[in-house]
Amino acid sequence: MAEQVSDRITDGPQPKHQQLRELLIGLVVPGQAIPSERELMLTYGVSRATVRKAIDGLVADGLLQRTHGIGTFAVRPRLETRLHLASFSQDMRRRGLQPSTRLISVTRALPPAEVTDWLGLAPGQKAWRIVRIRLADNTPIAHEDGWYPAHLLPELDQQDLAGGSLYEILGREYGLWVDQAEQTLWGESADAGMAAALAAPLHTPLLVFRRRSIAGGQRIEHVVSRYRGDRYMVHMELSRDDMSPATPTPEGSTL
């Protein structure tokens, strides 16, 4: 039977801030605020310095997160993904989470030059721009800004872009099943606008994915997704390329 942690703080050999740390670990609920410093002082009969030392340690360990003007919250475990070709909805369902989407905008517009080049559009040819917030169990996880060729996807704006997987819509309604993609990853810090969109603190680290997708040989998608780095992490399995030393050539022979 596991040893129970006492709910009292004593003058024993273990420092009081360490005792409070263990109590907080047992009490916190991911995503919820912990009691205020004053409440902890009154509840456990300790000084403000003891409370701050315990909390500072948990923040440093990534178990708590301070949000200025709101409070200190228990951090939700990061969602881990393996790099593979799947929609956000498929990815979340595989984890046993409920995906949902908040549609910010869908417009038919002229894309930037980089997007025009990738999608193979003629100068002046428009594309659908779809901006969405992706959620898992109602928690904002990612901001998506995607472009899709309008001439291949008539009336895409009439589809239920908040109700399910966009990849499923592309396949089911237009016969364009995404079967190939290239993806680039980099890091950013959330500015005020992105932090607000993701309900995240200012300067939250972001994992940024640029995905360029192909369906049946047709370039169909250019999307940049910004994931909260405190909610999401990437797992990669690596294998060694053929980097073994060259086989010695017998003396006098040529290749």
Side-chain angles (χ1 to χ4, degrees), residues 96-154:
L97 302 173
Q98 181 61 45
S100 58
T101 299
R102 186 181 304 146
L103 182 63
I104 304 301
S105 63
V106 52
T107 55
R108 194 168 176 268
L110 290 174
E114 177 189 8
V115 177
T116 294
D117 291 344
W118 162 252
L119 293 178
L121 302 178
Q125 195 170 11
K126 293 185 177 181
W128 294 112
R129 185 183 186 183
I130 301 174
V131 180
R132 304 186 295 175
I133 301 296
R134 313 307 301 274
L135 305 94
D137 286 351
N138 295 317
T139 299
I141 299 296
H143 176 280
E144 288 185 354
D145 188 349
W147 292 89
Y148 307 84
H151 67 286
L152 295 178
L153 306 168

Side-chain angles (χ1 to χ4, degrees), residues 60-128:
D61 289 344
L63 300 177
L64 295 179
Q65 176 179 283
R66 288 191 177 98
T67 301
H68 182 69
I70 300 178
T72 302
F73 293 78
V75 174
R76 297 179 185 273
R78 285 184 175 89
L79 300 174
E80 180 180 348
T81 187
R82 296 172 182 266
L83 292 179
H84 57 282
L85 184 55
S87 69
F88 178 90
S89 298
Q90 292 169 330
D91 193 14
M92 293 304 108
R93 290 192 188 105
R94 287 173 179 172
R95 308 167 190 274
L97 302 173
Q98 181 61 45
S100 58
T101 299
R102 186 181 304 146
L103 182 63
I104 304 301
S105 63
V106 52
T107 55
R108 194 168 176 268
L110 290 174
E114 177 189 8
V115 177
T116 294
D117 291 344
W118 162 252
L119 293 178
L121 302 178
Q125 195 170 11
K126 293 185 177 181
W128 294 112

Side-chain angles (χ1 to χ4, degrees), residues 4 18 29 32 52 62 65 77 111 149 151 167 176 182 184 240 249 253:
Q4 291 188 333
Q18 186 66 34
V29 177
Q32 294 188 13
R52 288 185 174 175
Q65 176 179 283
H151 67 286
Y167 281 9
L176 293 168
E182 62 175 42
T184 304
R240 184 183 177 97
T249 303
S253 66

